[in-house]
Amino acid sequence: MTTDCVFCKIAKGELKADLVYEDSQVVAFRDLNPQAPVHILIIPRKHIQSLDALWDQDANIVGRIATVARDIARKLGISEDGYRLVNNCGEQAGQTVLHLHFHLLGGRNLGWPPG
Ligand code: DGP
């Protein structure tokens, strides 16, 4: 954990968030600034700065995040209509929080390509 990381604080319960799922590896919570009717952030508990900073030995966490996203999508009723799982990696991609996270977006038509 890095002491000034907001997502580490959420994972540790030190900062309030609207949690939708948690287990020993992963935490999922509603985005503070939702871009769709369903907008969930899914993060590893472990502090990993970005996808680019992911070590091969931690790669299983991305698979775990994908299966958690699938289950949350089903639970929140967006899996039939469709949803998007997005990672912003680095400054030009729009990453603002330097703790690996995937956005689960759904509940509306999502444009392509993204901006
Ligand atoms: P990104 O641009 O990919 O780094 O997305 C970061 C997202 O994190 C952004 O959509 C807003 C959200 N966010 C930032 N701080 C907080 C927070 O303290 N709580 C919650 N729930 N979401 C946050």
Side-chain angles (χ1 to χ4, degrees), residues 7 10 15 29-32 41 88 94-97 101 103:
F7 287 0
I10 288 171
L15 193 65
F29 50 93
R30 292 187 190 277
D31 194 291
L32 204 56
L41 298 172
N88 296 326
Q95 184 178 5
T96 58
V97 177
H101 54 280
H103 299 254

Side-chain angles (χ1 to χ4, degrees), residues 40-108:
I40 308 296
L41 298 172
I42 309 171
I43 68 167
R45 283 192 186 276
K46 180 174 180 176
H47 184 82
I48 299 167
Q49 184 155 316
S50 71
L51 194 60
D52 194 59
L54 182 71
W55 292 91
D56 286 358
Q57 60 262 35
D58 288 329
N60 68 320
I61 198 67
V62 177
R64 181 68 194 137
I65 285 170
T67 57
V68 165
R70 174 203 62 197
D71 292 346
I72 293 171
R74 287 177 183 164
K75 189 174 140 195
L76 298 184
I78 57 169
S79 55
E80 268 192 36
D81 286 342
Y83 56 88
R84 190 171 289 163
L85 187 63
V86 184
N87 170 255
N88 296 326
C89 178
E91 197 178 335
Q92 277 206 343
Q95 184 178 5
T96 58
V97 177
L98 298 183
H99 181 126
L100 179 64
H101 54 280
F102 285 76
H103 299 254
L104 172 63
L105 296 147
R108 68 168 171 84

